[in-house]
Amino acid sequence: MHKRFLEMLPAFVSWSILLLPLWLSFYFPKYVSFFMAAFVFLWFFRTMEYIFFLIYAFFILKKTEKKNFAQKLIFWDSSPEKLQKKYRKIQKFQKENNDFMHTSDIHHIIIVATCGEPYEVLEDTFFSIKNSDFNMEKVIIVLATEERMEKQTASIREKLLQKFSHAFGGLYSFAHPDNIEGEVLGKGGNITFSGKKICEILEKKGENLKNYILTTLDSDNRLDNQYLNALTFHYAASIDRQKSS
């Protein structure tokens, strides 16, 4: 009974909020009209705010697309005097605090989560990564599948592993078990399982995981050509890179 009440509570609260102004308008029409006017103004303001930042983000995106991040990586490692002043200051701060990182030391792990998507969708995603303006020897791809979908994904996995086996620095596939106690089935558990598996492999090889950046993709995500370069540069040029976003 208690569980059933908790299940009904969100719906009851939602409907009460929606119907309360209608009910109160019969008894307090003046105050309800003030409330509705304020409510409309609030959401008008929020809409204008949303539109403003949407346009602002569009221009920031276009400005960023014009930057040559491959060149920035070279400048960061060997010619810092050619960088913007703020990045020179960051690099100086990092060296003073023994936290400087060469971009040439940075590698990438990209986990692609899938649960029954067709081969063509995943193939396009893999091609978008492969065609990136970045050294693919420093990129490890992990195909994260679900054990319960093994019949549907087995042939797709084999085709992808065969076609892209030499395209990256490493290509792995892990099937997320469907019987892990206390875990909810879904993308989060899938990615977490594959992430732990690839980390175990790298640690056994003696790799420093601090030099790896993890990116998670849905099966139909497409990377921009400059994504890996941009991510590498901003990761290296962050003062507190473990907590930056």
Side-chain angles (χ1 to χ4, degrees):
M1 184 66 182
H2 179 68
K3 182 180 179 181
R4 179 57 179 165
F5 172 76
L6 292 177
E7 291 176 346
M8 295 172 59
L9 187 60
F12 175 77
V13 173
S14 299
W15 277 106
S16 296
I17 293 174
L18 291 172
L19 297 177
L20 189 62
L22 179 63
W23 179 73
L24 289 177
S25 63
F26 291 101
Y27 301 95
F28 309 101
K30 180 179 178 180
Y31 297 108
V32 171
S33 62
F34 287 153
F35 170 78
M36 294 303 297
F39 183 81
V40 171
F41 175 79
L42 170 65
W43 282 103
F44 174 78
F45 174 79
R46 293 291 301 274
T47 302
M48 291 299 101
E49 180 186 36
Y50 174 81
I51 293 173
F52 170 79
F53 283 107
L54 184 65
I55 296 173
Y56 176 76
F58 172 78
F59 284 108
I60 292 295
L61 174 63
K62 291 301 178 182
K63 182 180 178 181
T64 303
E65 287 178 341
K66 295 179 181 179
K67 295 181 180 180
N68 187 341
F69 283 100
Q71 187 180 64
K72 285 180 176 289
L73 297 182
I74 297 174
F75 289 167
W76 179 264
D77 284 353
S78 57
S79 304
E81 69 278 359
K82 297 180 180 180
L83 292 168
Q84 292 175 272
K85 185 177 180 179
K86 67 175 182 179
Y87 292 122
R88 295 199 302 270
K89 287 184 176 180
I90 291 174
Q91 189 173 112
K92 181 181 178 181
F93 178 84
Q94 289 179 346
K95 289 180 177 178
E96 290 174 349
N97 291 272
N98 196 29
D99 192 39
F100 175 73
M101 174 179 279
H102 286 91
T103 60
S104 57
D105 294 332
I106 297 176
H107 295 69
H108 291 269
I109 301 171
I110 301 178
I111 299 179
V112 181
T114 179
C115 187
E117 289 81 8
Y119 171 79
E120 291 75 17
V121 173
L122 288 161
E123 182 186 38
D124 287 345
T125 300
F126 274 57
F127 269 124
S128 75
I129 302 171
K130 180 178 178 293
N131 295 331
S132 297
D133 183 22
F134 194 80
N135 181 4
M136 288 296 109
E137 289 297 319
K138 296 182 179 181
V139 178
I140 294 175
I141 305 298
V142 177
L143 181 64
T145 65
E146 290 286 357
E147 189 178 74
R148 67 182 189 275
M149 300 291 292
E150 180 63 19
K151 290 183 179 180
Q152 295 90 327
T153 58
S155 60
I156 295 175
R157 180 181 62 246
E158 293 305 316
K159 287 173 66 176
L160 289 170
L161 293 177
Q162 182 178 5
K163 186 166 187 175
F164 295 96
S165 59
H166 302 294
F168 308 105
L171 180 57
Y172 301 85
S173 178
F174 304 109
H176 174 229
D178 60 358
N179 58 353
I180 299 179
E181 185 177 353
E183 183 181 79
V184 177
L185 294 179
K187 177 185 172 183
N190 186 358
I191 290 174
T192 300
F193 178 82
S194 292
K196 290 178 179 179
K197 285 293 184 181
I198 191 63
C199 285
E200 290 174 2
I201 292 174
L202 293 174
E203 286 177 335
K204 288 180 180 178
K205 291 182 177 181
E207 296 286 339
N208 184 358
L209 295 183
K210 291 184 178 180
N211 292 338
Y212 283 82
I213 304 175
L214 174 64
T215 296
T216 62
L217 300 178
D218 287 340
S219 59
D220 58 351
N221 288 162
R222 305 289 182 265
L223 288 190
D224 183 85
N225 185 52
Q226 284 284 330
Y227 171 79
L228 293 175
N229 283 331
L231 179 59
T232 302
F233 176 76
H234 286 299
Y235 182 74
S238 295
I239 293 178
D240 191 0
R241 60 179 64 92
Q242 296 296 329
K243 297 179 180 179
S244 299
S245 61

